[in-house]
Amino acid sequence: MDATARPDDAGTHPDFDGMFQIVTSFWVARAVHAATALGLPDQVAHEPRTAADLAAATGTDPRSLARLLRTLAGVGVLRSDAEGRYTTTPLGDALRSDVPGSLASFVQMELGEAHHATWGLLADSVRSGEPVFERAVGKKIWQFFEDTPAMNAHLGKAMTGLTAMVADAVLDVYDFGPYERIVDVGGGEGGFLTSILSAHPEAHGVVLDLPHVVANGHGRIADAGLADRCELVGGDFFEKVPEGGDLYTMKWVLHDWNDESCIEILRSCRRVMGEDARLLVVDTVVPDGDGFSPSKIIDLNMMVLSGGQERTAEEFRRLLSAAGFTLTRILPTRSPSSVVEAVPVPQA
């Protein structure tokens, strides 16, 4: 027995194959990014096409594109037939721009150069305890999106696609029927509230977000037939939240911010909420133990991008208490996100 081996290592061997798969998953992700940037899932969605045909359509080098297509088929994003023609699989269909909930814009945003450069500084973020997006890109993340129209458009589409999946999961576990006026704080272009109002035709709602964000939501609200029941308000949730709601919702808002900022946002809500109003926070809840959870990966993303974080149930309880709320229950959903419900602490 090797004199340097520890007793608990007896009979075990390093899992080189498993680690190789983890390391090269980065390459696979970048291949998916390239496929989406070139529009390949859309190109082969309705009829099989050869690499030569696709190269002509996308203005790419035929041999290089063939190698990319072969790799994408190897990981299940595409499939080929006996004639060497490629088409999508159900996995690849998630990248088509014409399907509800498309992840195409999410891929372009999360695997784009700005996020890629930021994740390259992960070790520095761990050392400093600070986000590194500004160091990698030259400006804070929200300023970056405001100053980059193409990426801001991807952000809107990505959040819309992801929101559609999560909204259905939330509607499965939470009854919005009792509420007449719902205020969605940091509600983006209105996708989450649109789903709620569509399912509950007696309710009215308000979406609050930055002016350049809600500006993109008017068409979406109108197309959903909700223009008479949903108001879009441009503003800053640190300064003022619309009054009069009996339910206040925040989807994927608190995870963007550190505890100090979250308490400010929550207090801004608490100031305008009546004693009988409810607060719903839709975010991932980090479980105890060593098992895999998407929340743990998302947490690292928030750490490097904005200094935000995903939180455990106890961390949510402390955060809400500090802002004048009592956590009443946490409802898991079939998505990675959970519904965290809270009520205002009565004021003396």
Side-chain angles (χ1 to χ4, degrees), residues 224-245:
L226 297 171
D228 60 336
R229 291 199 286 131
C230 186
E231 179 185 1
L232 293 165
V233 175
D236 185 342
F237 48 50
F238 285 105
E239 297 178 0
K240 184 174 176 57
V241 171
E243 301 178 2

Side-chain angles (χ1 to χ4, degrees), residues 263 266-267 270 279 313-327 342-345:
I263 291 171
L266 289 166
R267 285 177 175 168
R270 179 64 186 91
L279 172 72
E314 181 55 32
E315 286 170 334
F316 270 115
R317 191 180 307 279
R318 292 199 301 265
L319 193 70
L320 290 161
S321 178
F325 290 91
T326 299
L327 191 157
V343 296
V345 175

Side-chain angles (χ1 to χ4, degrees), residues 71-90:
T71 299
L72 293 168
V75 296
V77 174
L78 302 179
R79 61 171 169 257
S80 64
D81 61 20
E83 285 74 41
R85 298 175 302 174
Y86 288 88
T87 189
T88 56
T89 63

